[in-house]
Amino acid sequence: MTANTVMQSADVARAITRIAHEILESNRGSDNLVLLGIPTRGVTLADRIAAAIHAIDGADVPRGSLDVTMYRDDLQSNPLREPSPTAVPVDIDQATVVLVDDVLYSGRTVRAALDALTDFGRPDVVRLAVLIDRGHRELPIRADYVGKNLPSSPGERINVCLVETDGVDAVEIDRGDDA
Amino acid sequence: MIPHLLSTRDLSRESAISLLDTAEDMAILGHRDNKKLPALRGKTIVNLFYEDSTRTRISFEVAQKRLSADVINFSAKGSSVSKGESFKDTILTLRELGVDGVVIRHPSSGAPQLLAERDWIDVPVVNAGDGTHEHPTQALLDAFTLRKNIHGADSRGRGLDGAHVIIVGDILHSRVARSNVWLLEHLGARVTVVAPVTLIPAGASRWPITISHDLDSALSQPVDAVMMLRVQSERMRDAYFPNAHEYSQGWGLTEERFAALSPQTLVMHPGPMNRGLEICSTAADSAQSVILQQVANGVFVRMSVLYSILTGTSEVPHE
């Protein structure tokens, strides 16, 4: 095995709690906040962040999922992608929307998410929270809240595992065959 | 390999369920204020209709527009076909005009298959009804409607296992019945077909169905849905039943039969309806009728089909 664990369960928990604090700090509380996760693991992370905000502030922040499949710019150059459910539970006009994803890489998923969001309404502010920023951006996009910066080479794989989907909380870096 | 949708017979259970699941996602987005998705932006699709249609053609057109495709509507009436242009020459013309997908309805069974197999044009083909052969998107929207009514919000990933569906009427001429028989079988439902002997095709004894000629006895069993088919007078060149009154009394969903029907049994019809012939207005407009849901779901299912065959690299088959 060439996979190295770079975040353990406790590291993931601390990163989520810190992101929750940072969101509350920059938003000056939980008013107007809406957390939208990008399927699959972004949705789980949005739930975790919402739970952390509840633990800190007592507020129940609306959260949902925003599938970006239909908005991707690579639909023709990849095998068929099956869409995931979208559920935007509240009106996002004038809201502060925090998009949540597991890994920020090329930025193309976030670009697609911004387009998808526009079709639902016009938030006052859109922020981006990610558990891992691995660099190699292809678009002028950056995250506002980052769990961990993880410099990586394009040949490596970053695996984010969460209890809900993978049975364990961990982040691994897989060096692949050319390590 | 280019993915086509020509029939439900050659669709696997997995691909059928995946198409229905994608239709669920399309349905969610269909309830937004902005109903348009950019997935097929820059794609040109031609709707090639050699036979009249209202709901199927408009439903495909709405689905294509919701996915941001450019749409060309071709109907044989009013085109060079009436000047004697052959099917092949029409297709070659469309190829040179640069279309990315073809939706075809044709009075000849097998026309979509021909289009998919010949090298006239190298794009995905969707069968929108061919002769008395198949109408796969109708069967998919029927299955979607059934699944939604049986399983509700818990529909995703599921088939129709154990459901009992009765299909009544002109089976002989019905491509809707054929597509439904195969798809319902793939999805695990039990199908009973009810019709006068003259309207059952010769090969039906080999279909995975129970055949009955007595609607009242068929309706005396537990039934999840009763699907009434249109009496297709335009395809009937012989006398298949004595007269409309007798057909209605024997095989129509009349006021009396509807009154005796369990309130849980769904009433379905692919449209257009002959009210008073195969279905009474009380049944068609009742709370247990899902006929208008079928129309609405048609758009979501067709979006799913178009998305699934027009995106993705063609080297990777979608099954």
Side-chain angles (χ1 to χ4, degrees), chain B residues 71-123:
Chain B
V71 184
I72 301 171
N73 285 312
F74 169 99
S75 57
K77 266 182 209 160
S79 74
S80 289
V81 170
S82 54
K83 298 178 192 165
E85 184 172 67
S86 73
F87 184 48
K88 178 180 173 180
D89 285 331
T90 303
I91 300 302
L92 293 178
T93 304
L94 292 171
R95 180 180 73 192
E96 294 310 311
L97 292 171
V99 304
D100 300 297
V102 176
V103 173
I104 177 170
R105 164 164 292 192
H106 203 285
S108 302
S109 302
Q113 182 89 27
L114 188 74
L115 196 53
E117 285 172 359
R118 293 294 164 92
D119 57 2
W120 303 339
I121 193 166
D122 199 19
V123 299

Side-chain angles (χ1 to χ4, degrees), chain B:
Chain B
M1 181 201 138
I2 295 180
H4 304 288
L5 180 66
L6 302 176
S7 71
T8 56
R9 192 172 189 166
D10 51 21
L11 210 58
S12 68
R13 178 182 166 100
E14 292 68 38
S15 9
I17 289 179
S18 148
L19 283 172
L20 298 181
D21 289 351
T22 300
E24 294 276 348
D25 297 316
M26 301 296 182
I28 293 170
L29 296 166
H31 296 116
R32 300 189 314 198
D33 286 347
N34 178 349
K35 296 183 173 60
K36 227 166 156 84
L37 292 165
L40 297 185
R41 205 164 34 188
K43 297 273 182 189
T44 303
I45 305 173
V46 62
N47 295 321
L48 203 54
F49 277 66
Y50 281 85
E51 201 182 80
D52 293 343
S53 163
T54 306
R55 73 203 68 226
T56 303
R57 191 179 57 74
I58 294 177
S59 178
F60 266 110
E61 189 175 343
V62 171
Q64 290 150 356
K65 288 182 169 166
R66 294 259 178 96
L67 290 172
S68 305
D70 293 311
V71 184
I72 301 171
N73 285 312
F74 169 99
S75 57
K77 266 182 209 160
S79 74
S80 289
V81 170
S82 54
K83 298 178 192 165
E85 184 172 67
S86 73
F87 184 48
K88 178 180 173 180
D89 285 331
T90 303
I91 300 302
L92 293 178
T93 304
L94 292 171
R95 180 180 73 192
E96 294 310 311
L97 292 171
V99 304
D100 300 297
V102 176
V103 173
I104 177 170
R105 164 164 292 192
H106 203 285
S108 302
S109 302
Q113 182 89 27
L114 188 74
L115 196 53
E117 285 172 359
R118 293 294 164 92
D119 57 2
W120 303 339
I121 193 166
D122 199 19
V123 299
V125 175
V126 179
N127 180 1
D130 60 330
T132 59
H133 174 231
E134 283 228 29
H135 190 355
T137 57
Q138 177 70 43
L140 284 164
L141 75 89
D142 290 340
F144 183 88
T145 306
L146 278 165
R147 197 174 77 151
K148 203 94 192 124
N149 280 279
I150 293 171
H151 298 307
D154 199 21
S155 290
R156 238 173 253 274
R158 299 178 74 160
L160 292 169
D161 301 279
H164 181 208
V165 179
I166 296 187
I167 305 178
V168 190
D170 184 359
I171 310 298
L172 182 63
H173 298 102
S174 179
R175 53 198 177 207
V176 174
R178 283 169 182 75
S179 285
N180 262 306
V181 163
W182 303 121
L183 184 61
L184 289 169
E185 141 102 298
H186 296 329
L187 294 174
R190 190 159 68 84
V191 178
T192 303
V193 153
V194 185
V197 184
T198 49
L199 289 175
I200 298 272
S205 55
R206 292 191 303 272
W207 295 358
I209 53 170
T210 308
I211 298 175
S212 160
H213 306 299
D214 182 349
L215 181 54
D216 293 306
S217 83
L219 287 176
S220 64
Q221 318 161 56
V223 184
D224 293 285
V226 53
M227 195 181 289
M228 307 306 299
L229 298 175
R230 183 170 67 91
V231 175
Q232 303 190 40
S233 27
E234 77 276 15
R235 289 188 217 277
M236 293 192 186
R237 292 177 207 97
D238 302 302
Y240 291 97
F241 48 83
N243 57 48
H245 178 74
E246 211 155 302
Y247 181 87
S248 180
Q249 286 309 303
W251 298 279
L253 188 56
T254 55
E255 302 278 351
E256 299 74 43
R257 286 199 182 96
F258 178 63
L261 199 65
S262 152
Q264 267 74 51
T265 303
L266 304 171
V267 174
M268 304 178 81
H269 193 297
M273 289 184 275
N274 297 307
R275 284 176 185 256
L277 180 52
E278 70 263 3
I279 187 167
C280 68
S281 281
T282 312
D285 303 330
S286 68
Q288 67 202 89
S289 158
V290 293
I291 296 169
L292 292 174
Q293 285 181 36
Q294 289 174 271
V295 177
N297 292 338
V299 173
F300 308 136
V301 161
R302 290 180 176 114
M303 287 172 77
S304 164
V305 167
L306 292 166
Y307 169 76
S308 301
I309 70 169
L310 280 160
T311 66
T313 44
S314 47
E315 297 86 65
V316 185
H318 73 299
E319 287 184 19

Side-chain angles (χ1 to χ4, degrees), chain A residues 50 88 113 140 142 161:
Chain A
V88 178
R142 62 168 182 80
C161 305

Side-chain angles (χ1 to χ4, degrees), chain A residues 105 134-136 138 151-158 174-175 178:
Chain A
Y105 186 24
R134 62 172 293 192
H136 303 287
E138 294 166 4
S152 62
S153 79
E156 293 167 334
R157 272 188 63 83
I158 307 286
D174 190 336
R175 311 254 172 232
D178 48 33

Side-chain angles (χ1 to χ4, degrees), chain A residues 67-75 81-84 112, chain B residues 39 307:
Chain A
D67 183 55
V68 305
T69 311
M70 297 283 152
Y71 295 85
R72 300 196 75 94
D73 58 8
D74 58 356
L75 285 174
R81 291 172 187 268
E82 280 189 34
S84 301
Chain B
Y307 169 76

